[in-house]
Amino acid sequence: MINNYIENADAVVLVYDLTNLDSFANLQDWLDLVNSRFADETKKPAIAVVGNKRDLSHLRVVSQASSHPLTVVISVPLSRAL
């Protein structure tokens, strides 16, 4: 089903919940799905990683330090918004 949503996409936004460690851990699975869909394509979509619920800092479980290695692996600059 994901293939239908990202067909011919110019960009893919992967969003995770800063207050939910599982949603962050699942990012790699989502990235793998996107990469497998576009494996044979010459034009690949831009990928952005966004952490939401930043306003709930007292509930935050995903730190900026823990999110940095993933953004490096997928070549996404770490945003100051984190």
Side-chain angles (χ1 to χ4, degrees):
M1 179 102 151
I2 186 72
N3 289 337
N4 295 335
Y5 290 109
I6 62 175
E7 184 72 28
N8 298 317
D10 291 320
V12 174
V13 179
L14 302 175
V15 180
Y16 67 96
D17 180 348
L18 290 167
T19 67
N20 182 328
L21 198 54
D22 288 336
S23 74
F24 179 72
N26 290 333
L27 278 177
Q28 188 62 55
D29 293 335
W30 286 107
L31 179 62
D32 291 344
L33 283 171
V34 171
N35 285 335
S36 68
R37 166 58 191 87
F38 290 96
D40 296 329
E41 304 289 329
T42 55
K43 181 180 178 251
K44 300 187 185 321
I47 298 175
V49 176
V50 178
N52 70 349
K53 298 189 182 178
R54 184 172 178 239
D55 58 316
L56 301 176
S57 59
H58 61 289
L59 299 175
R60 186 174 185 159
V61 295
V62 180
S63 69
Q64 186 172 355
S66 64
S67 62
H68 181 67
L70 178 67
T71 61
V72 170
V73 167
I74 61 173
S75 301
V76 176
L78 185 63
S79 170
R80 289 264 185 219
L82 297 177

